[in-house]
Amino acid sequence: MRKIIIFLGPPGAGKGTHAKEVSQILNIPHISTGDIFREAVKTQTELGVKVKEYLDAGKLVPDELVWAVVRDRLEKEDCKDGFILDGFPRTIPQAEMLDNYLKEKKTTPKVVYLDVSDELVIRRLSSRRVCKNCGAIYNLISMPPKKDGICDICGGELYQRSDDQPEVIKHRLETYYNETQPLIDYYKNKNYMHTIDAEGEREEVLKKILKVIEE
Ligand code: AMP
């Protein structure tokens, strides 16, 4: 059966970390719209030029543009057995576009909502570091690299995302509450959302996620 998993939750809830782990376990692609946009900005593609100002300000990229990118990605061969969405959908119109698409494909997603407190989000985001080379995610407090500033996996340089600075974090959280949190009710009403307490140890949270996915 085609496995379609959507990770929902505020920035810093652990969507990226867990989506990467689940992607390896289930052998289906991890699709992060944030990663796609950051890569486009870095390589200065046409898409990158269009989305840069939104990312720098912690604002949402317009729905139609995001959906065009996601739909293209979902049509790729590697998505035929399923995929994991991280950071999409982020608004009700995005969720509706995805729903219509999945209906056409006669599939239903599993929505995994990672529930964490505001304080934890702020603490996690301000101490998050990412590998420039392989994208591995670290946390200076709860999951530091073995060597300062260096990725354990590939030896790449670690950096702080420009939108993980305090002022932008504040703005991203406001955007989350205004635009994305309504999705929780949207999916609750559809009966395919599972809420996971994501405050605990990473391994514990992963176990809970896998249980829900395998049900
Ligand atoms: P993320 O890595 O998921 O925190 O995303 C980083 C940034 O990319 C966000 O702050 C937005 O500017 C943009 N972005 C990512 N996904 C979406 C989306 N689904 N809709 C609109 N903007 C997005």
Side-chain angles (χ1 to χ4, degrees), residues 11-12 15 32-35 37-38 51 54-63 66 70 86-91 94 128 161 163-164 168 172:
K15 300 189 297 294
S32 153
T33 40
D35 284 351
F37 292 145
R38 275 185 292 280
V51 301
Y54 297 101
L55 267 76
D56 285 347
K59 286 189 184 151
L60 291 184
V61 174
D63 290 334
V66 185
V70 173
D86 155 20
F88 181 92
R90 251 186 167 93
T91 63
Q94 289 181 13
R128 171 160 70 183
R161 280 172 42 173
D163 58 356
D164 280 345
V168 189
R172 286 166 67 204

Side-chain angles (χ1 to χ4, degrees), residues 168-181:
V168 189
I169 290 177
K170 209 173 127 228
H171 193 78
R172 286 166 67 204
L173 280 177
E174 278 166 17
T175 307
Y176 173 76
Y177 290 117
N178 292 334
E179 310 272 354
T180 309
Q181 220 182 22

Side-chain angles (χ1 to χ4, degrees), residues 147-167:
K147 260 197 218 157
D148 242 13
I150 305 288
C151 177
D152 293 351
I153 301 164
C154 73
E157 188 189 335
L158 302 187
Y159 78 108
Q160 181 171 35
R161 280 172 42 173
S162 58
D163 58 356
D164 280 345
Q165 312 288 340
E167 266 318 294

